[in-house]
Amino acid sequence: MSLNPRIADWQGRRVWLVGGSSGIGRALAELLIRRGARVAVSARSADKLQSLVALSPQVKALPLDVNRLGDWQQAAGELERDWQGIDHFIFCAAAYRPVRADQLRPDVIAEMVTTNVQGAMTGVATVLPALLARSSGAISMIASVAGYTGLPKALVYGPTKAALINFCESLYLDVHPRGVAVHLINPGFVDTPLTQQNDFTMPALMTPDAAALEIVTGMERGDFEIHFPRRFTHWLRLLRRLPYRLRFALLANVAEKT
Ligand SMILES: NC(=O)c1ccc[n+]([C@@H]2O[C@H](COP(=O)([O-])OP(=O)(O)OC[C@H]3O[C@@H](n4cnc5c(N)ncnc54)[C@H](OP(=O)(O)O)[C@@H]3O)[C@@H](O)[C@H]2O)c1
């Protein structure tokens, strides 16, 4: 039995997608537009959002910086005024830099922790009261398999994603009984501007379009956790269950190669 209600039809569903200007978020926005959803897209790059608006009269651009509280309030107010609220909130925004121990600096920490954790939670805090009041709707958060276990070069990014995994688990316990769905999305490697910074070979690398299809299919099935590609996430899920002695020995090998 699925942990969330299935989504049978996207036609007319009011989706607010934050982090829709590039990569997975953009591919997801395009797919949802093709499925007939009304999509409000947010990110800082207003010009890139406009190119999505050109695709359909069902699309609305709401430029915002997830680290500015006033931006959230303004965008939510606009959605309330123009669409009388939303049915589905999807958070795809993130900051990423590969970080090893000798690169750990306060500015690098602040950028990733505020955007990926505080930004994500602030977004949920913005939309949740209205969803709970109506006892319906869904919240979908993109975390990452990097949150499963400590990985090389993910000294700050990994913990932000682990925080989101924990946040979604906790949120589900509170809001599922009150009629609001929660999807936790844990992708493996996807070819986007974010991962183009990586200087190592990424196993099982996917296209953003393939990732978007996995996400939408998982939501339609009513999954709580949507993870992909399975041929990669299967191994990481196994790895996180190993005792530390064995896990560290295997990961030390990976760390040497990256
Ligand atoms: N690519 C992967 O392999 C992979 C794997 C696992 C998880 N993920 C996760 O998937 C999500 C999408 O990542 P992606 O790979 O598609 O990366 P991406 O192409 O770099 O997309 C990141 C998005 O976040 C937005 N963003 C960043 N900082 C923001 C801010 N302060 N305010 C508002 N928007 C902001 C960016 O737009 P602007 O710059 O225009 O603001 C962009 O739309 C992220 O949560 C990422 O952690 C990615």
Side-chain angles (χ1 to χ4, degrees):
M1 205 186 76
S2 42
L3 291 175
N4 286 305
R6 290 168 186 272
I7 300 174
D9 189 5
W10 292 92
Q11 205 69 35
R13 192 173 172 93
R14 297 164 299 176
V15 179
W16 186 7
L17 195 157
V18 177
S21 64
S22 67
I24 301 171
R26 188 180 180 91
L28 196 49
E30 289 173 356
L31 179 56
L32 293 177
I33 293 163
R34 288 198 296 277
R35 298 272 171 108
R38 297 167 81 181
V39 183
V41 275
S42 293
R44 292 163 303 181
S45 314
D47 51 333
K48 293 186 187 159
L49 300 180
Q50 278 311 320
S51 62
L52 282 167
V53 171
L55 295 178
S56 158
Q58 304 254 74
V59 183
K60 188 175 176 52
L62 293 172
L64 67 73
D65 184 331
V66 302
N67 297 314
R68 291 198 198 155
L69 192 54
D71 285 7
W72 280 111
Q73 287 161 345
Q74 194 179 331
E78 213 174 301
L79 282 170
E80 198 52 53
R81 191 193 63 212
D82 296 352
W83 286 4
Q84 290 72 55
I86 59 160
D87 305 299
H88 199 145
F89 176 73
I90 306 178
F91 190 87
C92 288
Y96 168 71
R97 282 168 206 239
V99 176
R100 278 213 147 131
D102 50 8
Q103 294 150 337
L104 190 64
R105 292 197 320 267
D107 57 326
V108 173
I109 298 167
E111 187 197 10
M112 279 186 266
V113 172
T114 55
T115 304
N116 303 3
V117 182
Q118 197 174 336
M121 291 186 191
T122 304
V124 174
T126 305
V127 300
L128 194 55
L131 297 180
L132 286 175
R134 288 201 333 260
S135 299
S136 70
I139 290 176
S140 308
M141 311 294 281
I142 305 208
S144 168
V145 294
Y148 282 170
T149 179
L151 293 172
K153 292 194 171 174
L155 194 55
V156 180
Y157 179 77
T160 68
K161 295 300 182 175
L164 271 197
I165 291 172
N166 191 297
F167 177 69
C168 286
E169 291 166 355
S170 188
L171 186 67
Y172 182 89
L173 294 173
D174 271 353
V175 305
H176 176 259
R178 298 173 66 186
V180 178
V182 178
H183 307 111
L184 161 65
I185 300 154
N186 287 323
F189 288 113
V190 184
D191 187 10
T192 68
L194 185 145
T195 45
Q196 279 152 20
Q197 299 175 67
N198 288 337
D199 57 4
F200 53 88
T201 306
M202 292 174 272
L205 186 66
M206 299 175 74
T207 64
D209 285 340
L213 187 59
E214 289 276 2
I215 293 168
V216 167
T217 307
M219 289 171 177
E220 288 171 348
R221 275 196 306 262
D223 291 351
F224 167 70
E225 189 193 4
I226 300 166
H227 63 94
F228 55 84
R230 299 266 169 152
R231 68 184 191 280
F232 179 58
T233 57
H234 170 74
W235 291 110
L236 279 174
R237 292 162 72 83
L238 203 64
L239 185 74
R240 76 171 166 180
R241 295 167 68 163
L242 294 177
Y244 278 124
R245 187 175 298 280
L246 198 51
R247 205 192 311 180
F248 286 153
L250 289 167
L251 284 169
N253 256 332
V254 179
E256 248 176 49
K257 289 182 194 141
T258 54

